[in-house]
Amino acid sequence: MMPAQQQADAAFWRNKKVFITGHTGFKGTWLSLWLHSLGASVTGYALKPPTNPNLYHICRMDELVTSYLDDIRNSASLSNALAQAAPDVVIHMAAQPLVRESYIHPAATFEINMMGTVNVLEAVRKAVAQGSPIRAVLNVTTDKCYDNRNWSWGYRESDRLGGSDPYSGSKACSELITDSYRRAFFLSGSGAAKVAVASARAGNVIGGGDWSKERLIPDIVRAVLSQKAVQIRYPQAVRPWQHVLEPLHGYLLLAQKLVESGSPYDQGWNFGPDDAHSVEQLVRQLCNLWGEGANYVVDQETTHPPEAHYLRLDSSMAKQELGWTPRWNLEKALARTVEWYKADQHQEDMRQVSLQQIRDYMKGVHG
């Protein structure tokens, strides 16, 4: 029997101190905004927002969080920021997140995604040894950390890690680093202190406020606003698309369990939708929802870097053990995404629009 669907607990998060790396990014901004709305005190460590425009500035996040702008590879700066924050929970999201960028800058991708993880866990280890109250660490990786065999069924947490491109390989390494630190330093009786350490592997996220390059939804929005047809590269590639709020809700539930119970929650967790869809299915639905001016063509270029044809996650463990379950199907996720970008076009208060979407998600509402 599946447990009852769980909600992020405002009573738990109220006055909790949370340290987030990558808080200026797309997912990091949404998570910071959500945590602040729950009453948490958020400190972020990241580079300046990677795009202009960006969700962080549009939502005026500097008014809501304490922000350190620096590189995750600067271990001394990171350790100092973490020590100053004295958090209860650490959520590591800073990364080089793009597959195509990893082909252009593979060494930097490995350095950021591997040594960035090492630096975070080292900072935690040192801070805890000095009396920091850290109770839980969550490393956010990706669904692409699995050794992709183009299976038609979803990957489970026990499946083999790997990666044929530098991004995927670097994230698989980040998972191994996390497991090594967990067992060497943070398990009860094995080192410095009892700190629950877990990782989260989410499917492809969509939602309002993403302007990243080489990412499908931003590419579509840019094309529509420029009155051009968006070019799609791999129309039949199948991915576990989900609204950004879906995995973020999973992270909140998991982090609470890590603080309250520790083991057996200190492991890797999948957060993906029930259904996977092709690129062309997603683009066609979004264009229909957007309406006039939205259309697409298939890019006939044959020299693009290779990408896996099929990817899907099995999230049974999160459903069974955390009470997490997807709430918005693809149509709802795309409708809320279109709604967000059109509200931004109309110069609405996007912090309030984003908060309303969070409230609607928590109520299971679409409309």
Side-chain angles (χ1 to χ4, degrees):
M1 180 184 297
M2 288 288 184
Q5 186 180 81
Q6 297 298 303
Q7 295 273 32
D9 186 353
F12 170 82
W13 288 106
R14 189 174 300 117
N15 298 322
K16 283 287 189 302
K17 294 182 179 181
V18 185
F19 187 89
I20 302 177
T21 70
H23 69 295
T24 60
F26 170 56
K27 288 176 75 176
T29 298
W30 273 105
L31 182 60
S32 298
L33 186 62
W34 197 340
L35 281 165
H36 184 271
S37 74
L38 292 171
S41 174
V42 179
T43 298
Y45 183 99
L47 297 174
K48 66 180 182 179
T51 63
N52 186 25
N54 60 81
L55 183 62
Y56 185 84
H57 286 151
I58 284 174
C59 289
R60 310 182 306 282
M61 293 303 295
D62 275 338
E63 299 173 5
L64 308 181
V65 306
T66 300
S67 185
Y68 292 85
L69 295 182
D70 209 333
D71 197 309
I72 197 71
R73 291 171 288 184
N74 187 337
S75 59
S77 174
L78 174 63
S79 292
N80 179 66
L82 186 71
Q84 291 292 321
D88 303 292
V89 176
V90 175
I91 302 177
H92 175 41
M93 304 179 77
Q96 192 298 94
L98 302 173
V99 172
R100 287 169 68 82
E101 181 73 12
S102 78
Y103 281 103
I104 301 169
H105 300 292
T109 298
F110 279 106
E111 185 181 8
I112 294 165
N113 293 349
M114 291 171 56
M115 290 309 300
T117 302
V118 170
N119 289 343
V120 169
L121 293 171
E122 270 293 282
V124 170
R125 185 176 71 87
K126 292 174 181 177
V128 170
Q130 296 297 316
S132 175
I134 297 169
R135 298 284 304 283
V137 178
L138 178 60
N139 179 22
V140 176
T141 63
T142 176
D143 55 356
K144 297 174 182 63
C145 68
Y146 292 106
D147 184 17
N148 194 306
R149 309 296 182 86
N150 281 310
W151 290 332
S152 59
W153 55 87
Y155 292 89
R156 297 170 297 177
E157 289 85 351
S158 58
D159 283 325
R160 179 178 173 177
L161 302 176
S164 58
D165 60 83
Y167 169 73
S168 302
S170 71
K171 285 297 194 174
C173 290
S174 179
E175 287 278 353
L176 295 174
I177 290 164
T178 303
D179 184 58
S180 178
Y181 265 81
R182 176 195 299 118
R183 292 193 284 173
F185 302 114
F186 298 123
L187 289 178
S188 176
S190 63
K194 297 178 183 178
V195 178
V197 179
S199 61
R201 306 156 184 177
N204 293 53
V205 295
I206 62 175
D210 189 4
W211 281 278
S212 301
K213 63 179 181 178
E214 305 291 349
R215 198 171 278 170
L216 188 56
I217 297 296
D219 284 350
I220 296 170
V221 173
R222 280 189 288 264
V224 170
L225 296 181
S226 301
Q227 299 182 321
K228 298 178 181 178
V230 66
Q231 293 191 337
I232 58 175
R233 294 186 295 270
Y234 301 102
Q236 301 311 312
V238 175
R239 294 290 183 269
W241 312 100
Q242 60 185 336
H243 195 276
V244 63
L245 297 180
E246 300 277 24
L248 295 186
H249 190 222
Y251 304 165
L252 294 175
L253 294 175
L254 176 55
Q256 181 175 343
K257 288 290 190 182
L258 291 172
V259 170
E260 293 178 337
S261 304
S263 183
Y265 297 97
D266 52 351
Q267 57 183 296
W269 296 81
N270 288 342
F271 297 99
D274 292 329
D275 298 312
H277 298 83
S278 74
V279 168
E280 190 164 16
Q281 285 175 314
L282 180 144
V283 174
R284 185 185 300 117
Q285 284 195 48
L286 188 142
C287 288
N288 288 339
L289 286 165
W290 191 286
E292 185 178 355
N295 56 81
Y296 71 94
V297 295
V298 176
D299 187 352
Q300 301 300 321
E301 175 64 54
T302 59
T303 60
H304 296 301
E307 292 189 18
H309 172 69
Y310 197 97
L311 180 56
R312 186 171 182 172
L313 292 178
D314 183 334
S315 303
S316 299
M317 189 168 75
K319 294 176 182 179
Q320 182 66 47
E321 303 298 331
L322 300 176
W324 174 86
T325 186
R327 299 185 176 194
W328 288 351
N329 60 22
L330 182 63
E331 183 178 1
K332 290 182 179 180
L334 288 171
R336 301 318 291 259
T337 301
V338 169
E339 171 193 276
W340 195 100
Y341 283 107
K342 289 195 171 185
D344 183 52
Q345 275 189 285
H346 296 144
Q347 299 184 321
E348 295 182 29
D349 183 333
M350 296 314 296
R351 182 199 288 176
Q352 294 306 315
V353 170
S354 302
L355 285 169
Q356 186 60 53
Q357 290 203 347
I358 290 171
R359 288 190 290 267
D360 288 348
Y361 176 85
M362 293 300 290
K363 292 184 294 185
V365 171
H366 171 66

